[in-house]
Amino acid sequence: MPSKLEALNRWVDEVAGKTRPDRVHWCDGSDAEYRSLVDGMLKTGDLIELNPQTHPRCYLHRSDPRDVARVEKLTVICTKNRDDAGPNNHWMDPAEAHAKIDALFDGCMQGRTMYVIPYCMGPIGSPLSRCGVEITDSPYVVANMRIMTRMGTAARERIEREGSFVKGLHSTGELDPERRWIMHFPEELTIKSYGSGYGGNALLGKKCHALRIASWQARSEGWLAEHMLIVGIENPRHEIRYVAAAFPSACGKTNLAMLIPPEGYRRDGWKGWTVGDDICWMRPGRDGRLYAINPEAGFFGVAPGTSAHTNANALAMLQHDTLFTNVAVTADNQPWWEGLDGRKPVKDWQGRDYDPANGPAAHPNSRFTVRASQCPSWSPEAENPEGVPIDAIVFGGRRASLVPLVMEARDWTHGVLLGASMASETTAAATGQVGLIRRDPMAMKPFCGYNYGDYFAHWLSFDRPGAQLAKVFHVNWFRKGKDGRFLWPGFGDNLRVLEWMLKRVTGEADAVETPIGRLPRAEDINLDGLELPDGALDELLQVDNEAWRAELAAIGAYLDGYGDRLPEALRAEHRRVADALDAASSGAAPRRAAAAAS
Ligand code: GTP
Ligand code: SPV
Ligand code: MN
């Protein structure tokens, strides 16, 4: 059924004229529609039913093996002025980009159904939410969008009321990596994606809209669109404080968002409440605090490493009504991945008989798609149209050395520098080599839709009279010892670090001032019930001045790459930290005894 909004109908007609599908289907988001999509995909083999006794209504999708992750080198930002996209993005002139991708869209939906998906990112009634329409020829994309967003009639009605929406056009094309583009036109609120059926390349509401386009809009409208989880931490006094944390892809957001407190903590009444696991939209409220919503309605999470031990909440929600992509299967047709348990898979992610010589059974970037409400720790506040107040912002990366378990920024400006200085090992979430350290400010390197210099300035701008900003921290769960093993147990035990952070927020914990930030003393982290190897915590909290001087030099060189667009205040903050390190090394400045910071 076409829409009451002429502009929407016109665009749909125009796209249909170009792509020439056999049929056009307007999605209503109903259960019956989802059922019929699944039935169709079971017939074509796009989906395989998993064991209905152990995993009712769970299905497996096997991607083309050349299409299993985001492709950053084919992801482009098309702005009139190249500098507006910045050195952090691949750029293409908008006219050239349209011409290139429109040639691929020409007639590409012949013989197929074209689906029109109106969706809302965020609660339908929230002023912070934003809507879009994705047109796609992939029923797999429609099924995923149904789980990941508020999709269908209610979204279409909001779009008709507002009269505007982000346009997203997608076709799986031939899945030929040589004929693939993920293009963004922020000035036109338009996305065009061709040649990939995979997650972030194809579910346009997610990274394309909710981060790349939204970050652009957020800048002009005074809010933030971030690659962050949102979690509520309830303490024994039944106070819930919300934390937003930015870690790069496959660096622990889903796991922290669903954290289960260690046993002793549980006994004392601590609890984690999941609000979001990937994207956070945040803006100052009338009281000056930052309020955040999760624009998504589902999780598209990393399967490998998910187990009853690491993330029991996730495992519980994956027992029914879940789509699995590129996992392995056991002899009795249950989904399986590395790290799940000791069973042996029989088929790998490509459907071959499992042979360890072929590599892991599940693809390292295999994923599950599941409705957020299936998560046992799902927070009722996730539906709050006003969002939740954020008390702590956390940045973190995957760093085998140097970066301590946790540190606190002295103030907002220093916090922005901590975010801008982030670096992390690359992971399987994007194509390319895994394990290389690269700069990934605020975990937004692949997702910031504009020049990072302007983005840092936008972050700094939130520090203004009347603002009641969150405290900013930096963490590293991935520090390794000499034996190559993680020094910190991670997962639920990360609450021990969050407890210190939240007690810093309420003024109940001490910190030690160092040139790079404020750190807890070893005794400030509660280790009750935890066996850490001798000296591990000291190593985790150690600051190596000489190595940090080299790091600051590298950070400075990186930031200089943004030239004139880099805000002077950030440059000055970098100089302040570098000078403090120099002074500490030369002994020129009187060394502060481990003085408690305010
Ligand atoms: P995206 O969905 O790609 O944005 O990733 P994410 O940040 O949500 O990552 P996720 O929580 O799915 O974690 C990715 C991988 O890191 C999984 O294999 C986890 O098991 C592992 N991981 C998560 N948290 C921790 C932790 O605290 N310590 C260790 N050692 N590994 C972790
Ligand atoms: C990520 O890569 O950060 C993801 C998965 O969350 S995707 O949706 O593919 O971007
Ligand atoms: Mn992500």
Side-chain angles (χ1 to χ4, degrees), residues 365-531:
N365 190 37
S366 53
R367 299 219 171 215
F368 50 78
T369 319
V370 62
R371 201 90 205 156
S373 55
Q374 288 185 204
C375 181
S377 56
W378 185 237
S379 165
E381 285 298 302
E383 287 292 337
N384 185 335
E386 302 304 323
V388 296
I390 299 297
D391 278 319
I393 289 177
V394 184
F395 297 114
R398 214 177 251 275
R399 295 292 295 265
S401 60
L402 183 70
V403 180
L405 178 64
V406 60
M407 52 184 164
E408 177 194 316
R410 313 164 81 214
D411 56 21
W412 185 257
T413 304
H414 184 219
V416 174
L417 179 70
L418 289 184
S421 307
M422 276 172 65
S424 193
E425 292 166 23
T426 51
T427 64
T431 56
Q433 206 178 326
V434 167
L436 298 176
I437 293 195
R438 71 159 179 186
R439 293 279 155 214
D440 192 349
M442 280 83 168
M444 284 286 279
K445 168 70 184 70
F447 310 119
C448 181
Y450 62 103
N451 191 311
Y452 255 150
D454 298 339
Y455 172 83
F456 300 146
H458 184 49
W459 262 87
L460 291 171
S461 76
F462 285 84
D463 190 4
R464 55 183 171 239
Q468 301 284 326
L469 295 168
K471 260 189 186 294
V472 181
F473 299 87
H474 190 290
V475 300
N476 177 20
W477 313 141
F478 298 94
R479 180 99 172 234
K480 288 178 176 170
K482 285 181 200 68
D483 58 3
R485 295 169 57 156
F486 291 121
L487 282 167
W488 180 249
F491 303 103
D493 286 309
N494 292 334
L495 181 58
R496 300 173 188 278
V497 179
L498 287 174
E499 180 187 9
W500 177 75
M501 292 187 225
L502 292 173
K503 287 191 165 158
R504 289 293 299 160
V505 168
T506 52
E508 297 169 88
D510 280 341
V512 174
E513 196 82 57
T514 83
I516 59 168
R518 293 168 180 165
L519 270 74
R521 295 162 304 179
E523 60 268 33
D524 295 326
I525 302 284
N526 176 7
L527 297 183
D528 287 355
L530 181 65
E531 292 286 326

Side-chain angles (χ1 to χ4, degrees), residues 10-31:
R10 223 178 310 119
W11 175 60
V12 169
D13 286 348
E14 190 189 302
V15 169
K18 175 141 205 77
T19 58
R20 301 197 290 283
D22 283 10
R23 286 166 299 279
V24 176
H25 175 87
W26 287 73
C27 298
D28 62 13
S30 64
D31 289 342

Side-chain angles (χ1 to χ4, degrees), residues 532-585:
L532 272 190
D534 271 355
L537 192 58
D538 291 332
E539 202 174 335
L540 283 160
L541 295 177
Q542 174 214 323
V543 178
D544 178 342
N545 264 23
E546 289 314 306
W548 270 102
R549 288 173 79 191
E551 178 77 356
L552 261 282
I555 292 165
Y558 172 75
L559 294 178
D560 278 344
Y562 294 95
D564 290 350
R565 298 253 184 163
L566 190 75
E568 189 46 47
L570 197 62
R571 221 184 279 277
E573 184 64 14
H574 173 267
R575 217 157 30 230
R576 185 190 67 74
V577 177
D579 288 350
L581 280 163
D582 289 349
S585 285

Side-chain angles (χ1 to χ4, degrees), residues 227 249-255 278 302 304 367 398 478 490-491 494:
H227 192 207
S249 302
C251 290
K253 291 184 299 302
T254 303
N255 280 271
D278 197 47
V302 174
R367 299 219 171 215
R398 214 177 251 275
F478 298 94
F491 303 103
N494 292 334

